[in-house]
Amino acid sequence: MYLMRIGPPGAEKPVVRVDDTHYVDVSDVTPDFDERFFAAGGPALLAERVATGERRAFAGERIGAPIARPHQILCIGLNYSDHAAETGQAVPDEPILFTKPPNTLVGPYDDVRIPRGSTKPDWEVELGIVIGRRTSYLDSVEEAGAAIAGYCVVNDVSERAFQMERGGQWSKGKSAETFNPAGPWLVTPDEIADVRNLGMWLDVSGTRRQTGSTATMIFDPYFLVHHLSQFMVLEPGDLINTGTPPGVGMGHKPQIWLQPGDVMELGIDGLGSQRQRVVGPR
């Protein structure tokens, strides 16, 4: 199943994508794809409605993030062996964790805004995990799959000077408005043959910058959910950004940074693609 939210910012309605041109409106089943929806059973609630509901044609509606504002956005740093190598940093012994505020979440085709004082804005195509039920202290990695509602494409936009040169926490370079485009769909696990072997790519203004695969993840999605559950309670609808493959601007020689007017296009096999225009500070 492919869950989507379409409509103006703040007024999106939940739908299920049937194919490239049609969807089923499920707003009569749930008002949104939010914490309450996932806690009540999530996509399983929609099966009958999707099977019997009227198919409507997409008509150019804005596509929002596939989930409503989550309880938290958790992020994993340096989680691809080839990305760690390009940055000259050691492969971590256990996941590096930082957070983004939920208000960074925007739609997959919304503008990305460079923050004031920015000198090194960067891109990161990532696999996003959405949690499907309240989860803590999982006993094994094998249990983690049952806690995952689905997966989506994420662009973990970063400001490297804020992140690496200002001291303190990475979150300072990750938390500007619009810094977490997600979607276009939340794809349920049954639609994905092997989440640990998905091709990933990102272009900036028509030039390929990132080419990778989830196969080079150091800590796979199941390990991450189990690991995080040992330290915190994961709530239904929580989003986990799982790290990026090589090719980020920081890793190029010379380094390359986003500029107003640039266009980022990115995608992951089976999870769809995104496109964002970069705009200047407000």
Side-chain angles (χ1 to χ4, degrees):
M1 197 173 290
Y2 296 77
L3 309 187
M4 300 178 66
R5 297 167 68 248
I6 61 175
E12 297 93 344
K13 68 177 180 180
V15 305
V16 174
R17 173 186 178 271
V18 177
D19 54 36
D20 288 346
T21 56
H22 293 86
Y23 68 89
V24 174
D25 185 341
V26 294
S27 58
D28 58 336
V29 179
T30 179
D32 213 340
F33 296 142
D34 55 11
E35 182 176 353
R36 181 175 296 183
F37 166 74
F38 290 109
L45 301 174
L46 307 176
E48 181 178 353
R49 183 72 177 84
V50 172
T52 61
E54 176 189 359
R55 296 189 175 193
R56 303 181 182 182
F58 288 108
E61 300 93 341
R62 170 186 172 270
I63 298 175
I67 57 172
R69 182 184 293 196
H71 170 257
Q72 59 184 343
I73 299 176
L74 303 168
C75 307
I76 307 300
L78 295 178
N79 193 33
Y80 283 69
S81 55
D82 38 9
H83 172 54
E86 77 169 345
T87 64
Q89 300 181 74
V91 171
D93 294 326
E94 64 178 76
I96 295 172
L97 175 65
F98 61 95
T99 63
K100 283 191 165 189
N103 65 5
T104 59
L105 189 68
V106 295
Y109 309 113
D110 292 344
D111 291 345
V112 165
R113 185 173 297 280
I114 294 174
R116 295 181 187 181
S118 171
T119 58
K120 298 181 178 180
D122 205 349
W123 56 84
E124 296 188 34
V125 58
E126 304 202 3
L127 174 73
I129 302 170
V130 175
I131 297 298
R133 61 175 174 83
R134 201 166 197 260
T135 301
S136 62
Y137 297 120
L138 291 173
D139 290 328
S140 68
V141 170
E142 289 70 29
E143 293 181 21
I148 296 173
Y151 303 94
C152 62
V153 182
V154 171
N155 189 354
D156 177 21
V157 185
S158 307
E159 210 302 327
R160 301 300 190 185
F162 295 177
Q163 177 189 358
M164 311 296 288
E165 300 171 16
R166 296 291 299 271
Q169 299 295 318
W170 279 16
S171 296
K172 292 196 298 188
K174 300 284 189 170
S175 299
E177 59 182 329
T178 74
F179 265 28
N180 209 98
W185 320 305
L186 175 66
V187 182
T188 53
D190 59 293
E191 300 280 2
I192 303 170
D194 185 0
V195 73
R196 291 170 289 196
N197 189 26
L198 300 177
M200 312 167 70
W201 58 273
L202 183 144
D203 295 347
V204 178
S205 297
T207 299
R208 180 60 46 92
R209 295 301 185 189
Q210 287 188 273
T211 302
S213 169
T214 58
T216 66
M217 272 188 173
I218 300 165
F219 306 107
D220 72 31
Y222 309 111
F223 182 97
L224 290 173
V225 171
H226 171 263
H227 179 80
L228 293 172
S229 80
Q230 308 307 306
F231 304 99
M232 66 189 73
V233 177
L234 302 173
E235 298 288 356
D238 280 357
L239 175 63
I240 304 171
N241 297 344
T242 59
T244 196
V248 299
M250 180 174 63
H252 284 273
K253 296 181 180 178
Q255 294 175 325
I256 305 168
W257 309 117
L258 293 169
Q259 304 293 329
D262 281 340
V263 173
M264 293 180 284
E265 297 178 274
L266 57 147
I268 299 177
D269 291 349
L271 303 185
S273 61
Q274 304 183 356
R275 184 181 190 275
Q276 296 106 34
R277 182 173 60 101
V278 179
V279 299
R282 62 182 177 87

